[in-house]
Every structure is written in structure tokens, then in C-alpha cells.
Amino acid sequence: MRPILVPFALFLVAMAGIGAFTRQLRGDEALASKVKAFSQPPEKFATDFGNYKSPLVFDDGGKVKNAADWTRRRQEIKTYWTNAMGVWPKVAEKPKFEVLKKEDLVGGITQSYLRIEVAPGVITEDAILLVPNGKGPFPAVVVVFYDAKTGVGQGKSPQRDFALQLAKRGYVALSVGSPPGSYYPRRDKVQIQPLAYHAVVAAHCHAILAQLDTVDARLIGIVGHSYGGKWALFAACFYEQFACACWSDPGIVFDEKRSNVNYWEPWYLGHEQGKNRKPGIIKDDNPRQGVYKKLIEEGRDLHELHALMAPRPFLVSGGAEDQASRWIPLNHSIAVNRLLGYEGRVAMTNRPGHSPTDESNEQMMQWFDYWLKNKKVLQK
């Protein structure tokens, strides 16, 4: 009987393997279908480009016709914004960091409290690293918000524990709070606008993750909510090493009717040395100032920065500040990607309120799963 049973046993093993492979294949197809749905604008907005100046037009009026043209146009956009906001200090190739305390969480996640270098001469201890159980290297995500504890589920804001959710799904996650002081190198001698400074901080966090043996340096993303969404937007657009991004309801373009889309504030883009502006919406007696004023007067908007992501994928997890009509500026990034031969790399989901929900969080996680857990997807 043995000559019959052994082949039959091998047959059962093989069939089990095929079944597992089929389930995995179907799972990948289901995930791809969901992610594809995120990248489909509603019909009413699908061909609407609004009054935004096309990123596919040079500043001198010439049109971008091919990938080589886009390389030059991309640099033109980046140079303009860099000159406007201030040239970055050099990002350290291997920023300093040290573990202050380490502990094990339920589920095999290792949680480490860090002291890290986030800019030249700037050190913070508001950083928490989560590493999942298992054999790496893993994909990784930088999570940015007012404080690191919120990202790991220790804060007062529910459903903003992005780092903990990611670690449970097999990512290394670095949760980081606001840098010491919003102004670099100090408030009385600001060299770059605060949002540019925050982007520098995120770039250093990327470089820290890239040093770790547990991280695949090619697969590092970034996510943030609200203020953190603005932070993640500027970091991902300017620092090309981020493989993909999710921005949760930051207000993805200038909108002076929305008090939370407040890029005009001095702690974002409105810093002007020697001037103090009363916080709040733009009014005749409380006007624009600083770089923000220059950008508005020269007809610039953040859709130009979105275009710098191409062909890197990004998801807008839209809430109260980023409703479905934000597809209008996003259509410009879709057009850039199409010129380069890519589809499905610009996406948005929507919810009624500003705060993340279980559904919007799951959608963000699915976005990262699709783009960072399958290396071949980003190589297409």
C-alpha cells in the first residue's frame, strides 16, 4: 500500500499548495480591484481641470510633450518652490539615533522609544519605532502628527493610531511628533518656511528607517492626518525617496474659504520675519503675508507639488476639507502620470467628517498593502 499512499499524500500536499496559491492570487486581485476603485474620479469631475494652471506647461508657456520634457518641467517646478520656501539644509545620509527604552507589545511587536536627529543640529525624543514580529526586511512607513504617542495608540485621538495599525499588518513604523520649534534654525533667524522644515524632518526619518536591517529601504512610505497630512504632503512631494504616500484630509490645495486649510498661517507658509499675523481666515484687516502671499499673487497652487510625485503613487484620504471636488486638481497629476505611461497612481477616498474612520483607515492600509507589499507593482 505504501507506494500508493505516498504519492497520494504528495498529491494532497500539492493540492493544498495550489489552493493556498489560488487564495493568495484571488486576494491580490481583490486588493487590486479595491485600489483601482480609489483611483476612479466620479464622472462629474473626471474631465474637469478647473482654473489650475497645468503642470504640463512650462513657465514660459511651452508645452510638455514627452517624458524628457517632463524631467525639465519637474525640475522647474521644484526649483521655483524651493527658492520660494528656502533651500533645505543638507539631509544627513545616516542621521544619528539611539534607543532609549524598548518593550514588547501584544502580538510580537517591539516598541522602541528613540532619540533621533531630525535636522542639522536638531534632536528630538518624540519618536517611537514599531517593528513587527518575523523575518524582515519589511516595508516601512513614517507616521507624522503633533505627537508620536498618538500614532502608536497612546494618544487621546481615536483612530489616528496609524503606526500601530501598520505594525499589526507587517510594517516597520516610525511615529514622530512635531519637531522642537516650528522654525529652523530658530524663530529669529528663519531660513526655510516651516512646512519645508517639516519635510526635512521627515526626510531624516526616512534616512533613519533606511539604515535598519529590518527595513527594505526601497519600500518606505509616509502618512499623516490633518496637520500631519500637510506635513506628509510636503515631505513626499519634495523627498523623492518616499515610495508612496497617504495624506489624510490636509486640504490638498489652497482654499481660503476653509479655516482648516490654513497654509497662510506663519507656522506653515506664511512666516515673514518681523511680522506677526493674528491667526484666522484671510480678511482685509488680516491679510496674507510671507511666502504664501507670493504664491497666491503668482498663481501657484499645491497641485504643482502633487505632480512632483509622478509616477510615485499617492492617496488622498479625504474628509471635510478634501471632498470629491478635489478630483479637479488631482486630474492634473493623473495627466502627468498618463504622459509618463502610468495609470491608477493618483487616488482619493472620501468621508463626511474630518476625523479618520475605521473605513478610511482600512482604505489607507489597503493602499499601502498594494504598493509596498508587492515589490513588482512599483516596478511596473
Side-chain angles (χ1 to χ4, degrees):
M1 294 295 292
R2 183 170 294 178
I4 298 174
L5 287 176
V6 172
F8 183 67
L10 291 175
F11 170 77
L12 291 177
V13 171
M15 290 304 295
I18 291 171
F21 175 78
T22 302
R23 287 192 297 274
Q24 178 65 42
L25 180 62
R26 288 173 180 169
D28 290 345
E29 290 175 346
L31 179 59
S33 178
K34 290 177 182 177
V35 169
K36 182 179 180 180
F38 302 160
S39 62
Q40 301 298 316
E43 186 176 349
K44 66 182 293 187
F45 298 120
T47 59
D48 190 347
F49 291 85
N51 295 321
Y52 299 96
K53 178 185 173 183
S54 173
L56 294 175
V57 176
F58 288 95
D59 287 342
D60 66 4
K63 293 184 179 181
V64 175
K65 298 179 180 179
N66 51 47
D69 285 348
W70 172 247
T71 298
R72 292 188 297 111
R73 172 58 178 151
R74 187 184 188 283
Q75 187 57 51
E76 184 178 59
I77 294 171
K78 190 171 182 179
T79 297
Y80 172 87
W81 282 82
T82 299
N83 289 340
M85 296 194 301
V87 177
W88 285 22
K90 185 177 180 179
V91 176
E93 194 171 310
K94 292 188 176 181
K96 300 173 185 176
F97 72 95
E98 60 179 305
V99 177
L100 303 176
K101 185 176 68 172
K102 185 181 290 188
E103 57 192 19
D104 294 328
L105 304 182
V106 175
I109 297 170
T110 301
Q111 178 170 274
S112 300
Y113 295 84
L114 306 182
R115 177 185 292 121
I116 64 175
E117 178 186 6
V118 292
V122 182
I123 303 294
T124 183
E125 293 184 4
D126 195 10
I128 302 173
L129 179 70
L130 301 182
V131 179
N133 189 27
K135 183 180 179 181
F138 303 101
V141 180
V142 176
V143 179
V144 292
F145 198 56
Y146 291 103
D147 61 275
K149 288 185 176 181
T150 294
V152 300
Q154 299 176 19
K156 297 180 181 179
S157 301
Q159 296 167 316
R160 300 181 191 185
D161 58 341
F162 300 158
L164 183 59
Q165 292 185 48
L166 286 160
K168 288 179 177 179
R169 296 172 86 107
Y171 296 84
V172 173
L174 177 56
S175 183
V176 183
S178 301
S182 296
Y183 305 91
Y184 182 84
R186 59 180 191 266
R187 186 159 189 163
D188 64 343
K189 194 178 181 180
V190 173
Q191 294 179 3
I192 57 177
Q193 287 292 310
L195 269 177
Y197 172 36
H198 280 68
V200 171
V201 170
H204 279 77
C205 292
H206 179 289
I208 288 169
L209 286 173
Q211 295 180 59
L212 303 179
D213 293 338
T214 51
V215 170
D216 187 331
R218 300 166 297 177
L219 301 173
I220 301 176
I222 186 169
V223 63
H225 171 67
S226 192
Y227 150 69
K230 292 178 172 67
W231 182 351
L233 188 159
F234 272 71
C237 293
F238 280 99
Y239 196 65
E240 297 165 30
Q241 284 85 339
F242 281 111
C244 71
C246 288
W247 311 326
S248 176
D249 210 37
I252 61 167
V253 286
F254 299 148
D255 188 344
E256 294 181 354
K257 296 178 181 179
R258 306 289 302 178
S259 60
N260 288 329
V261 188
N262 53 345
Y263 289 96
W264 56 80
E265 299 292 6
W267 52 84
Y268 287 137
L269 294 174
H271 174 77
E272 187 171 338
Q273 203 69 50
K275 288 189 177 182
N276 292 315
R277 183 185 180 279
K278 182 181 177 181
I281 208 159
I282 299 293
K283 296 180 180 179
D284 290 342
D285 60 352
N286 199 24
R288 309 178 186 106
Q289 67 177 37
V291 169
Y292 178 80
K293 178 182 178 182
K294 170 185 171 68
L295 294 169
I296 293 295
E297 289 177 348
E298 296 184 2
R300 318 300 290 224
D301 212 323
L302 300 179
H303 71 295
E304 296 180 354
L305 301 190
H306 308 164
L308 299 181
M309 289 291 295
R312 294 174 297 143
F314 68 90
L315 167 72
V316 179
S317 179
E321 309 309 324
D322 290 310
Q323 291 292 299
S325 61
R326 297 294 194 213
W327 276 110
I328 296 171
L330 291 179
N331 283 334
H332 290 280
S333 285
I334 292 174
V336 173
N337 274 277
R338 283 179 177 161
L339 177 79
L340 300 176
Y342 296 93
E343 293 285 346
R345 300 202 169 201
V346 179
M348 181 165 62
T349 59
N350 297 102
R351 59 183 181 272
H354 179 57
S355 294
T357 64
D358 289 340
E359 181 182 17
S360 67
N361 283 345
E362 177 61 20
Q363 290 165 337
M364 283 192 288
M365 300 301 136
Q366 290 169 348
W367 181 258
F368 281 127
D369 284 351
Y370 181 74
W371 290 108
L372 295 184
K373 284 192 173 180
N374 185 348
K375 299 175 184 178
K376 295 181 179 179
V377 171
L378 277 174
Q379 295 169 356
K380 287 181 180 180

